[in-house]
Amino acid sequence: MGKKLLSVFKVLTLAYAVTGILLLLAAFIMYKAGLGESQMRIFIMVIYGIATIVAGFSFGKAKGGKRLPMGALIGLLYFVFLTLVSFVVNRGFYEDTPKAILSLVICIVGGILGGVMS
């Protein structure tokens, strides 16, 4: 159990490292191109998808079997941790529930895609 938990932690750390790098890149692109908030929201959704695909892929490679449910689990854990951090920083949950649900779906589907691709 402890070994599996450690590998989940490593994969989520990788996913958040990818997220951080891509957010910096997106901020640079937005600054140079003069894009607005609505375009940033699209960037963020794409970044969630890419990060969870990477996480699902790396977890699937490390664990082998049960790639689809494990990918879904990684995507869900990514979203849960993201929600917890958002709650602490913003002192509240998402203001826009449909966008939060969309983010959840993107994270889970990204994890599944990464797991299946591994």
Side-chain angles (χ1 to χ4, degrees), residues 16-90:
Y16 285 107
V18 168
T19 301
I21 291 167
L22 291 177
L23 282 174
L24 287 173
L25 181 63
F28 178 75
I29 290 170
M30 287 192 59
Y31 173 73
K32 287 295 185 182
L35 301 176
E37 188 176 325
S38 61
Q39 288 88 5
M40 185 59 178
R41 188 74 185 153
I42 294 169
F43 269 112
I44 289 171
M45 293 294 181
V46 170
I47 289 169
Y48 289 169
I50 292 170
T52 54
I53 288 171
V54 169
F57 185 84
S58 62
F59 194 68
K61 280 289 188 191
K63 291 298 165 191
K66 297 185 182 178
R67 294 176 185 163
L68 191 138
M70 289 295 119
L73 177 65
I74 289 296
L76 178 65
L77 291 173
Y78 178 89
F79 178 79
V80 167
F81 187 71
L82 195 66
T83 300
L84 290 174
V85 169
S86 177
F87 178 77
V88 170
V89 170
N90 297 325

